[in-house]
Amino acid sequence: MLAIEKLSVSYGRVQALCEVDLEIRDDGVLHGVIGPNGAGKSTLLDAVCGRRRPTGGAVRYRGEDITRRSVAWRRRHGMARSFQRTSVFQNLTVLEQLRLVAQHLGDERFEDVIHVMDLGDYLDQKAGRIAYGVQRRVDVALALIGRPQLLLMDEPGAGLSAVETLRLFQHLRDLVGERKMAAVVVEHDVDAVFACCGKVTVLDLGRHLATGTPSEIRADRRVVAAYLGSAA
Amino acid sequence: MAGAAIGASGASSWRMPLIVSASALLFVIGAAAPTRFAGEFVLRLGEEGLLLGILALSVAFLMNQAGLVALGAASVYGGAGYLFAIAMSEWDMTAIEALAVSLLIVVIYAAFLGALIVRTNPLAFMMLTLAAGEMVSHSVTLEGLRDYTGGADGLVVNFKGSIFGMQAADFANASRFWIVAWSAAWIAGLIIWAARRSRLGAILRAVRENEERMRFSGFNTYAPRLTAFVLVNAIAGACGLLHVLNAGFVSPDSLGLSVSTNTLVAALIGGVDGSIGPIVGGLAFSFAQDQFGAHGATQLFTGLAIVVFIVLLPSGVVGGLLEALQPRARALARRRKDA
């Protein structure tokens, strides 16, 4: 589904991502990306979804090199993302924004997304006036409209409590499994990632450190030394 | 519950026929009454106000829907007048041909300029429209173009034949032109009303609010803004053509920055949200300028009025009125529901 080949991104002289290789399959498994601050997790998502242009390497999506494709093109071809900082339309009601995007993407069954993200009670409310946790769900719902084949999520649990984060991750795990889609989730909450992701990739200082199942990652000495420490 | 909310209908069924009937009545009264009861001077001020209001309508739409402030409205307004005059005198066109060609050139100019500038941030957009407007304004006074533009003296327009059954003398007649300007204001208002309620309006508002999310939702955020820019310039151009038909001449003054800023002030006075506010703002500005001028302190009073409106009525006259009435309307609806 998604092949990241020797991907590099620089901010001026700072190398945020250095020749990262990664493969994401559409096997219905949530793929977590973890790492310390400055590891390049969000930069990786930005480069994959077209928000930031890589300085080297390539992004292949369903076999096609899409490194220079626009963000809108990627979305129309089944690649969606949510943001670390909630990115919803504050002055539109929840229903208005979901409908606007659904009409554009030709998704006539967007009520499913409302049900899946449990937004039925908030449809007539402006997004700016609902609780932050619900706004996070609207953010993910906007990404889910159009039945994307690849879902990229940047810290969907940011600003939520540990319990809320875990609940959201369980929700996402079930959804990704049901729809047999590919999904990458960047997250700080390691417990939620280990509990709900079938595969985990660890980045450190812009480099790929390890990829494996949660138990493999927990046992990986390099990961323990660089990130997990004695807590693992 | 979600399904019910999704399927909910809009306005009540009785409301639309009532609004249409009231609007039709207002249109007829507004077209006929001033020509019977107002003198020529008042009519002329009203006509100027309506034309300024149409121009303000175009600027307000872009401001309110796309979050872009244009400072070059006058260059299109006056430019269309110059094009009409040149098409009549230099290109030997009939009046109708000259109107069509002038409007077409305005649209092409707007599409070209818009293609270059609508991508920029709001501040850069404002400065670029100002720069483009000033270039157009300066170019008509160039010595090398004097044979075409008349330099600082401008051009007299005296067309032969008729436009939609009206002769040149009819356009110069205050009573007859009032009906033309009044009808044009309604047509422009309806176009803007329809554009606001259309998918274009919804996309523009969403882009204004969160452009990045729109791109990540698969939208092209460039084309809607370009379409809106061309639309408002076409309205400004049509307004400029009405002005030149009425005035019978076009001069560099009609392209000046003061026309653009007056347009902006009129939009702010009336309120940028909706089709009625800018027209009311244009009329208010025109009559107020006359009164301020009579006291010999036009700029001073205009400045004071701007401060008062921006501080006390940030939504403009019409917006402020609606905000004051809305809580009462809601309370009335609640009482009816309870009863």
Side-chain angles (χ1 to χ4, degrees), chain B residues 12 34 69 89 92 142 144 163 200 220 255 257:
Chain B
S12 306
V69 179
S89 59
D92 274 342
L142 288 174
I163 297 172
L200 173 70
N220 175 342
L255 292 153
L257 179 61

Side-chain angles (χ1 to χ4, degrees), chain A:
Chain A
M1 168 63 68
L2 178 73
I4 296 164
E5 298 170 353
K6 303 264 178 246
L7 199 66
S8 298
V9 176
S10 298
Y11 300 108
R13 289 182 180 178
V14 179
Q15 184 98 32
L17 217 54
C18 185
E19 297 192 348
V20 171
D21 289 304
L22 194 62
E23 195 170 339
I24 309 291
R25 296 176 187 278
D26 50 347
D27 50 8
V29 168
L30 206 53
H31 191 127
V33 177
I34 58 173
N37 283 335
K41 306 184 294 293
S42 295
T43 303
L44 177 70
L45 284 200
D46 286 349
V48 170
C49 73
R51 194 185 195 194
R52 186 161 293 280
R53 184 157 287 186
T55 44
V59 178
R60 292 186 184 281
Y61 177 61
R62 292 192 290 196
E64 185 184 347
D65 185 349
I66 60 158
T67 315
R68 297 194 174 274
R69 290 285 191 186
S70 72
V71 165
W73 184 93
R74 292 174 207 226
R75 181 65 171 102
R76 289 195 296 270
H77 288 78
M79 184 188 290
R81 80 164 282 176
S82 67
F83 293 84
Q84 185 177 355
R85 284 185 186 173
T86 303
S87 182
V88 296
F89 301 100
Q90 302 277 331
N91 288 311
L92 296 184
T93 67
V94 172
L95 180 59
E96 280 170 347
Q97 53 197 292
L98 295 177
R99 186 186 276 156
L100 182 73
V101 176
Q103 282 176 348
H104 182 67
L105 295 173
D107 186 350
E108 291 169 358
R109 294 187 298 165
F110 75 102
E111 290 92 337
D112 289 356
V113 175
I114 294 168
H115 174 69
V116 165
M117 297 314 294
D118 196 17
L119 292 169
D121 292 337
Y122 306 96
L123 293 178
D124 293 332
Q125 295 183 38
K126 288 194 173 177
R129 294 187 184 159
I130 55 180
Y132 186 73
V134 184
Q135 285 189 29
R136 300 288 314 166
R137 299 213 301 265
V138 175
D139 195 23
V140 176
L142 285 169
L144 284 173
I145 286 179
R147 296 205 156 236
Q149 287 131 330
L150 172 61
L151 183 60
L152 307 166
M153 289 169 285
D154 195 358
E155 300 203 25
L160 303 182
S161 68
V163 176
E164 286 174 322
T165 302
L166 188 61
R167 199 179 300 147
L168 179 63
F169 265 69
Q170 286 165 345
H171 224 61
L172 292 171
R173 178 191 60 196
D174 297 345
L175 181 76
V176 169
E178 274 171 30
R179 294 191 178 182
K180 290 281 174 215
M181 62 201 289
V184 181
V185 58
V186 164
E187 183 57 57
H188 265 299
D189 189 333
V190 179
D191 292 336
V193 170
F194 283 156
C196 298
C197 293
K199 230 173 190 182
V200 179
T201 290
V202 186
L203 297 180
D204 183 38
L205 295 173
R207 292 178 187 277
H208 176 261
L209 201 61
T211 295
T213 62
S215 53
E216 287 169 348
I217 293 297
R218 276 182 203 274
D220 191 309
R221 285 185 181 178
R222 291 171 304 161
V223 177
V224 172
Y227 182 47
L228 296 178
S230 56

Side-chain angles (χ1 to χ4, degrees), chain B residues 8 48 57 197 277:
Chain B
E48 276 178 31
L57 199 58
R197 289 176 65 93

